[in-house]
Amino acid sequence: MGTLLPSSTAEHEKSEKQNSSLQIDEHQRDVDAGALFVLKSKGSWVHCGYHLTTSIVAPPLLSLPYAFTLLGWTAGIFFLVIGAMVTFYSYNLLSRVLEHQAQLGNRQLRFRDMARDILGPRWGRYFVGPIQFAVCYGAVVACTLLGGQCMKAVYLLSNPNGSMKLYEFVIIFGCFMLILAQIPSFHSLRHINLVSLVLCLLYSACAAAGSIYIGNSSKGPEKNYSLKGDTEDRLFGIFNALSIIATTYGNGIIPEIQATLAPPVKGKMFKGLSVCYTVVTVTFFSVAISGYWAFGNESEGLILSNFVDNGKPLVPKWFIYMTNVFTIVQLSAVGVVYLQPTNEVLEQTFGDPKSPEFSNRNVIPRLISRSIAITISTLIAAMLPFFGDINSLIGAFGFMPLDFVLPVIFFNLTFKPSKRSLIFWLNVTIAVVFSALGAIAAIAAVRQIILDAKNYQLFANI
């Protein structure tokens, strides 16, 4: 076809391609190092599905049976279904807003970019940016702590009189994270996150199978599904449970994950979310229902803890070892995924987009800054083994607005649906209800911190 075009037309098209290439190169020179090096836009929708699954289907799902102890059967299943529906809906709205902005020539790569462009610069700088950083870095600390706890559980099972302390296992896990943290970009994690997807299916299957095995045997506790505590405890327990469920479904990095997609991005995020929520449905509901059925209101904060009673395993030891190993390895992948917003900020601050990614000018600051970030998170996890209480507060303040409230607000402000339309009022209802739930859940989290304060001790061996 090219030979049939007049020479002037062919030259014009060639000129347009060159100009386009020059504009892209100019954009690459102007863009900050965080976006250029960490948020590379090279992935497919399949890679996006891996990232989404790792960021949502994580070991905190093993706490869902405990959330059921605070809610009971009916409310537990109801809120688990509502959490899945609302987050899937909200994440798709976020994706549609991002696709719309990309079609207008303004591709937003970060949550704070969306807040800046839609709500104003102060919202991105002083509200969304800090909240997202706290949520994601808090997740890194929580993964490090949980990894150490799982390692300690394996150690005590094999050596009941062992003298190693929790903080030592936290440091060991932190050293492993220190290595993984040096993986240069979000896109580079795609193969690790594929392994993570397989691992979350494996340990969820192990948790469900172990619960069913114990529930059908005489080894398990007598099943009791009544709610514990007085009226006040039950009321605050409901909001603690909602915070647990919201945090389990939480993501907080949808824009950053969508940023890893190679353009054009239209429709790719929906496919990735469909992959992710297929895994969510299989894992969340199987673990929550089987765990609560087997142990009732005796379900521990981590259902794997119920597999051991006074140091005596209720399932074969090899089964507990295997389940914990799956969990530990996946925790490292989850921690590295949630480290990406921190990496992006560090790269933006210390990196030089005009120098090659693997030049000494960029590699040395990257190595130092990421190592310091992991060292600090490991130190916090070792010092504060009760960080779960603090993370509940961070989840109430962070995951609720980022994953339930802001997506519907962004959609209404971007697309301006009619005030007579169902979608407008559905979005307004979601924003109002989950803003209120977030505030109440934060109060419940603060109350729990105060109640547990008497047991707090730095570097405690719990």
Side-chain angles (χ1 to χ4, degrees):
M1 291 293 291
T3 57
L4 299 177
L5 293 172
S7 59
S8 59
T9 304
E11 289 175 3
H12 177 69
E13 286 188 351
K14 184 178 179 181
S15 175
E16 279 188 343
K17 288 180 181 179
Q18 289 175 342
N19 289 336
S20 176
S21 178
L22 287 172
Q23 287 174 359
I24 292 171
D25 290 342
E26 187 65 32
H27 173 70
Q28 293 284 333
R29 285 196 294 270
D30 291 341
V31 79
D32 62 80
L36 185 61
F37 298 147
V38 178
L39 303 178
K40 290 180 179 179
S41 302
K42 292 184 175 181
S44 67
W45 68 267
V46 176
H47 301 146
C48 177
Y50 301 160
H51 300 323
L52 286 165
T53 304
T54 300
S55 62
I56 298 175
V57 189
L61 73 89
L62 299 173
S63 64
L64 289 174
Y66 173 72
F68 272 43
T69 68
L70 305 172
L71 295 170
W73 274 119
T74 304
I77 292 175
F78 174 77
F79 284 115
L80 201 60
V81 171
I82 291 295
M85 292 173 63
V86 173
T87 51
F88 185 78
Y89 174 73
S90 297
Y91 296 155
N92 273 296
L93 291 190
L94 264 185
S95 176
R96 286 189 59 188
V97 172
L98 289 164
E99 288 178 2
H100 177 73
Q101 295 290 346
Q103 288 173 347
L104 297 177
N106 179 31
R107 189 173 183 194
Q108 297 158 331
L109 302 179
R110 294 163 284 219
F111 225 129
R112 63 181 184 274
D113 293 343
M114 296 186 73
R116 179 198 65 212
D117 294 344
I118 298 171
L119 301 177
R122 291 187 177 181
W123 282 92
R125 181 176 298 175
Y126 300 114
F127 180 71
V128 173
I131 281 181
Q132 187 195 33
F133 184 86
V135 165
C136 293
Y137 199 66
V140 176
V141 175
C143 286
T144 307
L145 175 58
L146 189 54
Q149 290 173 335
C150 289
M151 292 175 74
K152 183 188 173 188
V154 171
Y155 171 73
L156 290 179
L157 193 61
S158 59
N159 187 11
N161 298 317
S163 59
M164 289 185 70
K165 308 296 183 185
L166 174 61
Y167 68 84
E168 296 177 84
F169 292 104
V170 169
I171 292 171
I172 293 170
F173 187 85
C175 291
F176 182 46
M177 287 280 292
L178 192 65
I179 298 170
L180 290 180
Q182 308 308 325
I183 295 174
S185 70
F186 208 151
H187 180 64
S188 303
L189 297 175
R190 61 194 183 280
H191 303 303
I192 290 176
N193 288 340
L194 169 58
V195 175
S196 170
L197 187 154
V198 175
L199 288 172
C200 73
L201 289 170
L202 289 174
Y203 69 67
S204 297
C206 289
S211 297
I212 293 170
Y213 173 80
I214 296 170
N216 280 324
S217 71
S218 58
K219 300 177 181 179
E222 184 179 345
K223 297 180 180 65
N224 185 347
Y225 304 113
S226 61
L227 301 180
K228 292 182 177 180
D230 56 23
T231 303
E232 180 184 348
D233 289 334
R234 290 183 184 182
L235 181 61
F236 280 102
I238 290 171
F239 294 111
N240 276 330
L242 295 181
S243 181
I244 290 170
I245 291 173
T247 302
T248 306
Y249 277 111
N251 181 282
I253 52 174
I254 289 291
E256 285 78 5
I257 291 176
Q258 186 151 330
T260 66
L261 287 169
V265 298
K266 188 172 179 60
K268 293 180 180 178
M269 194 67 166
F270 179 79
K271 293 179 181 178
L273 281 167
S274 298
V275 170
C276 173
Y277 271 78
T278 300
V279 179
V280 163
T281 303
V282 171
T283 55
F284 282 35
F285 286 86
S286 64
V287 171
I289 293 172
S290 64
Y292 186 54
W293 169 80
F295 303 105
N297 58 19
E298 297 299 321
S299 299
E300 300 281 352
L302 195 68
I303 197 62
L304 300 183
S305 301
N306 285 103
F307 290 6
V308 179
D309 182 24
N310 294 322
K312 182 180 179 182
L314 303 180
V315 293
K317 279 189 177 182
W318 63 265
F319 186 84
I320 298 177
Y321 291 146
M322 179 179 67
T323 306
N324 275 282
V325 167
F326 291 155
T327 306
I328 290 166
V329 177
Q330 206 235 359
L331 275 167
S332 62
V334 175
V336 174
V337 163
Y338 277 103
L339 189 66
Q340 296 310 303
T342 302
N343 290 344
E344 185 271 320
V345 170
L346 293 172
E347 206 92 342
Q348 183 179 9
T349 305
F350 301 111
D352 179 11
K354 296 180 180 179
S355 299
E357 180 181 4
F358 298 106
S359 64
N360 288 336
R361 169 64 184 83
N362 283 312
V363 169
I364 293 174
R366 183 183 303 135
L367 179 65
I368 294 172
S369 61
R370 294 187 183 190
S371 299
I372 291 173
I374 289 295
T375 301
I376 293 173
S377 68
T378 303
L379 180 62
I380 294 172
M383 288 177 62
L384 309 176
F386 44 83
F387 187 77
D389 286 350
I390 300 172
N391 216 33
S392 294
L393 181 62
I394 294 173
F397 273 122
F399 282 122
M400 286 287 193
L402 290 179
D403 296 326
F404 295 87
V405 179
L406 285 176
V408 295
I409 293 175
F410 286 168
F411 184 88
N412 278 6
L413 291 177
T414 300
F415 292 100
K416 297 179 174 57
S418 169
K419 291 184 179 180
R420 296 181 179 180
S421 65
L422 175 62
I423 192 169
F424 176 85
W425 287 108
L426 175 62
N427 290 348
V428 169
T429 302
I430 290 173
V432 171
V433 168
F434 283 94
S435 293
L437 284 177
I440 298 171
I443 294 171
V446 170
R447 176 180 178 270
Q448 193 62 43
I449 289 173
I450 294 171
L451 290 176
D452 292 344
K454 59 185 177 183
N455 300 320
Y456 288 174
Q457 182 182 352
L458 294 180
F459 297 101
N461 185 37
I462 58 175

